[in-house]
Amino acid sequence: MNDTKSDYISIKDLLSLPTLSDVTISECGQLSAFVKRTADWERDTYTTHIEVYQKGEKVADVHQGFRPSWSPCSEQLAFMRTLPNGNQLFIETLKEGKHVQLTDAEGGIYSYKWDPTGKGLFCTAPDHSGHHRLQYLDLEERGLILPLLEQGIHVLDFDPSQDGGKIIFLASSGPGADEAHKAELYLLNRFTGAVRRIEESRRLGGQVCMSPEGTHICYTVSREEKDYYRNHIPDSTLEIQDLTTGEGMQPLPEADSTWMPTRWTEQGILVKWQDRTNGRIGLLQPNGKLELYSYEDGYTLGASISENGHHVACLKAHPNETPELYVDGEKVTDENDLLSHKRISRKKVITWSNHDGDMIEGVLSIPEDMDRDRAYPLLVLIHGGPNWASFPFLSTSFNDKYPVESFIEKGFIVLEPNYRGSTGYGDAFMKANERNLGIGDYEDVMSGVDVLVEQGIADREAVGIMGWSQGGFITAFSSIYSNRFKAASVGGGISNWVTNYTNTDLPSNVLSYLGDTPWNDPDIYAKCSPLWYVQSACTPTLIQHGEADARVPIENAHELYKGLKDQGVEVELEIFTGMGYSSDHPKVHKLIMEQNLEWFTRHILDGGDRSD
């Protein structure tokens, strides 16, 4: 009951909630481990450590470690640790309680996997040009890393066969963000050194995995040829290929771009995917038969499975909870105890119809003791991506900029719409904002606001909007295109698509959504740019932006500020030095949240008056 709980969770406490990731389970199924990231407020940094569990009991902590992985014999835990010369590989022997550093490579190690024979580890490490080269670390010759591939190939992902003799790998020609979509699939015979190209005509992405005997592979592949996606939004599905015959088949034709293979076991392929606001995992057979691990609502952040397919560990968040570790279906941790004495919002998934008749979902956060007879001030929180979604659980790994719990405590309700372009609703919905950015997004957002107003839940005269990255772009567009909002907060958002195309590290992403360059089709760039409509702007706007954001460069923030200022609109610009999309400093995220709380409280609840 509410009367037994204290106040809502504070901004600092919210940002102090641990973030869980990198779950791994041993081949014997008795040991599991995951990474817990926490905020160190005294040093203003985030730290990571690995928690190790045996049969549901915590047995060890590995400090300053991440990306853990159990050895094939289940007796050693490999992990990475950040040192002055980069991320390096270590091994912890639990019985002895000590760890050994395996690598000291200049530039560090990027990724690794155990050799299934247990004799060594495969890893990727950057060379002098920044390409990630595939290498092998023989545990008998510690410190000796043998390159497996020639220079000039940038390895994105790989997976070895059970005997370690074959390696399937995904590679591009270079390390740039705009090179990944040109990746090709290769098969390496480790003993002969022969490399065979498997797939080059279609777009590839995500993870690849090989059957234990090394005869088949599973990967994600686009439905069209690569060139098609130069001016169209990418999509993908799962594909399995017989390496002997070269024959490929798609076991689940309905699988969309959220489906990813995780590991091919003796019992089938562990796959994960997004199902609306749920994250699912299941075991897939090559014939298309799929066995779900759970039908419960919730989001599985990550999963690990033993080679025999009998044991699974996963990190999962149920609605209105923060993530927990589950092993073979049993909850192991009790992270939600941190919330047990605090009030928290109640999140529920709601559905409405947009102006085109399409069904849109969103997450509505309300107070536990909501008064059904009053209309609440409403804040609309737009997720980024747009290839992403909002979910009804509590985790700062999905939102470290906007203090939803503090907004609820102040008296707001919060709507997070999964607008067209969001994932989890099929590829057709994900691609529905092609050449319609801004206007289509605005319609999905406003139809949700209108429904809440019509139902008497939201106050028409007290609506604000906010979001970061793509969410910042939609916020800028909506708050300029409309006079419906009392206040807006634009975080890391695009204000001018021409500016973004000429400065971003991923111009191909702009082309896929807008269809052409600004020189060939200036009209579409104008139609989708918030600044094109700035003469009608009237919404007080807070602009927050990371000074080092490569994806959405800082020029966007300066242009938006200048445009609003010229129109006499109240606007504040906050630039966070050294920050890209997010910060490595919890105090920066705390400041961002506090600025947003103050901005919306002042402009919506207090009538715009600043109290000094």
Side-chain angles (χ1 to χ4, degrees), residues 48-74:
T48 63
H49 70 274
I50 300 168
E51 292 193 359
V52 181
Y53 285 80
Q54 184 171 20
K55 295 181 179 180
E57 297 292 330
K58 184 177 175 181
V59 295
D61 259 324
V62 180
H63 294 285
Q64 298 179 7
F66 58 96
R67 294 186 189 173
S69 180
W70 294 103
S71 64
C73 67
S74 302

Side-chain angles (χ1 to χ4, degrees), residues 143-314:
L144 179 63
I145 298 180
L146 305 175
L148 297 178
L149 294 171
E150 62 185 26
Q151 294 184 354
I153 294 178
H154 181 71
V155 176
L156 300 167
D157 191 42
F158 66 93
D159 196 40
S161 60
Q162 196 61 26
D163 65 1
K166 296 177 182 177
I167 304 174
I168 189 74
F169 66 95
L170 186 66
S172 62
S173 60
D178 225 15
E179 299 296 321
H181 69 276
K182 304 172 187 175
E184 298 177 352
L185 197 59
Y186 300 86
L187 179 66
L188 167 68
N189 185 316
R190 181 182 161 207
F191 302 120
T192 66
V195 176
R196 174 160 62 97
R197 199 190 318 258
I198 301 295
E199 172 61 56
E200 59 178 323
S201 64
R202 292 172 295 169
R203 283 182 64 133
L204 301 154
Q207 296 169 276
V208 296
C209 62
M210 182 178 287
S211 63
E213 67 279 9
T215 59
H216 293 74
I217 55 175
C218 183
Y219 51 97
T220 58
V221 65
S222 63
R223 300 179 187 274
E224 306 288 344
E225 300 292 304
K226 278 181 181 177
D227 289 345
Y228 174 81
Y229 299 103
R230 193 193 74 81
N231 55 2
H232 291 88
I233 297 172
D235 56 18
S236 65
T237 190
L238 289 175
E239 185 161 289
I240 292 175
Q241 185 176 137
D242 186 323
L243 293 175
T244 303
T245 66
E247 182 180 356
M249 55 88 68
Q250 294 175 1
L252 289 173
E254 69 275 15
D256 66 18
S257 298
T258 67
W259 287 69
M260 289 285 176
T262 298
R263 187 180 188 185
W264 199 320
T265 75
E266 294 174 3
Q267 304 299 317
I269 307 163
L270 180 67
V271 291
K272 59 180 180 179
W273 71 99
Q274 186 188 333
D275 171 21
R276 306 178 81 88
T277 57
N278 298 298
R280 309 284 192 194
I281 58 172
L283 208 56
L284 175 66
Q285 304 300 329
N287 64 6
K289 181 182 178 182
L290 178 67
E291 178 186 354
L292 277 175
Y293 272 102
S294 172
Y295 290 91
E296 292 180 309
D297 286 348
Y299 195 90
T300 300
L301 288 79
S304 175
I305 191 169
S306 60
E307 196 278 329
N308 62 16
H310 293 155
H311 303 285
V312 175
C314 67

Side-chain angles (χ1 to χ4, degrees), residues 245-474:
T245 66
E247 182 180 356
M249 55 88 68
Q250 294 175 1
L252 289 173
E254 69 275 15
D256 66 18
S257 298
T258 67
W259 287 69
M260 289 285 176
T262 298
R263 187 180 188 185
W264 199 320
T265 75
E266 294 174 3
Q267 304 299 317
I269 307 163
L270 180 67
V271 291
K272 59 180 180 179
W273 71 99
Q274 186 188 333
D275 171 21
R276 306 178 81 88
T277 57
N278 298 298
R280 309 284 192 194
I281 58 172
L283 208 56
L284 175 66
Q285 304 300 329
N287 64 6
K289 181 182 178 182
L290 178 67
E291 178 186 354
L292 277 175
Y293 272 102
S294 172
Y295 290 91
E296 292 180 309
D297 286 348
Y299 195 90
T300 300
L301 288 79
S304 175
I305 191 169
S306 60
E307 196 278 329
N308 62 16
H310 293 155
H311 303 285
V312 175
C314 67
L315 299 171
K316 184 174 181 177
H318 289 288
N320 294 298
E321 292 185 355
T322 196
E324 304 276 13
L325 170 67
Y326 292 80
V327 177
D328 293 337
E330 298 294 325
K331 186 166 75 76
V332 173
T333 56
D334 193 16
E335 298 295 322
N336 282 277
D337 184 59
L338 298 169
L339 303 172
S340 61
H341 301 295
K342 294 288 185 180
R343 293 174 183 253
I344 60 172
S345 64
R346 286 295 172 260
K347 302 176 186 297
K348 62 178 183 177
V349 178
I350 64 171
T351 304
W352 64 90
S353 176
N354 68 9
H355 301 152
D356 298 325
D358 300 320
M359 297 307 295
I360 307 295
E361 277 191 345
V363 177
L364 181 64
S365 296
I366 60 176
E368 190 178 50
D369 53 355
M370 183 175 182
D371 182 353
R372 301 291 176 175
D373 295 325
R374 61 165 288 203
Y376 284 76
L378 171 67
L379 296 179
V380 183
L381 171 54
I382 315 292
H383 70 74
N387 298 149
W388 192 228
S390 291
F391 306 97
F393 64 89
L394 194 64
S395 174
T396 52
S397 61
F398 292 85
N399 172 27
D400 54 12
K401 312 289 196 310
Y402 303 101
V404 172
E405 300 306 305
S406 296
F407 288 139
I408 299 298
E409 184 176 29
K410 283 286 187 180
F412 292 99
I413 59 174
V414 180
L415 174 66
E416 301 177 57
N418 285 338
Y419 55 90
R420 68 189 74 183
S422 301
T423 51
Y425 300 89
D427 281 346
F429 188 82
M430 183 194 72
K431 298 191 290 183
N433 56 1
E434 187 170 289
R435 291 180 64 82
N436 196 29
L437 290 170
I439 293 176
D441 309 317
Y442 167 78
E443 291 176 350
D444 293 347
V445 170
M446 291 313 302
S447 58
V449 172
D450 289 341
V451 165
L452 294 179
V453 170
E454 291 166 5
Q455 292 176 349
I457 297 173
D459 182 350
R460 178 185 293 272
E461 303 303 320
V463 183
I465 188 169
M466 57 193 163
W468 204 276
S469 192
Q470 182 74 7
F473 156 69
I474 295 175

Side-chain angles (χ1 to χ4, degrees), residues 569-581:
V569 177
E570 181 186 353
V571 58
E572 293 183 11
L573 176 61
E574 297 288 346
I575 303 297
F576 299 94
T577 304
M579 175 177 144
Y581 173 83

Side-chain angles (χ1 to χ4, degrees), residues 495-610:
S495 60
N496 185 336
W497 281 104
V498 177
T499 296
N500 206 68
Y501 174 74
T502 54
N503 290 277
T504 182
D505 66 339
L506 200 61
S508 64
N509 194 53
V510 179
L511 294 178
S512 68
Y513 278 91
L514 298 185
D516 210 334
T517 67
W519 336 122
N520 294 333
D521 194 351
D523 289 345
I524 191 64
Y525 280 75
K527 171 189 171 185
C528 296
S529 293
L531 279 176
W532 188 256
Y533 308 93
V534 76
Q535 286 182 317
S536 64
C538 62
T539 307
T541 302
L542 170 65
I543 304 172
Q544 299 171 310
H545 213 109
E547 174 261 339
D549 194 336
R551 191 62 40 88
V552 183
I554 191 65
E555 288 83 358
N556 284 279
H558 290 300
E559 290 189 21
L560 180 60
Y561 178 78
K562 178 63 174 173
L564 293 174
K565 200 75 173 174
D566 284 352
Q567 297 304 312
V569 177
E570 181 186 353
V571 58
E572 293 183 11
L573 176 61
E574 297 288 346
I575 303 297
F576 299 94
T577 304
M579 175 177 144
Y581 173 83
S582 272
S583 175
D584 295 328
H585 305 288
K587 290 183 180 179
V588 172
H589 290 142
K590 182 173 179 286
L591 177 60
I592 291 172
M593 284 193 174
E594 289 172 342
Q595 288 176 353
N596 281 303
L597 180 62
E598 188 279 333
W599 183 259
F600 288 107
T601 300
R602 170 156 53 100
H603 285 87
I604 296 180
L605 301 184
D606 300 339
D609 295 328
R610 183 190 292 273

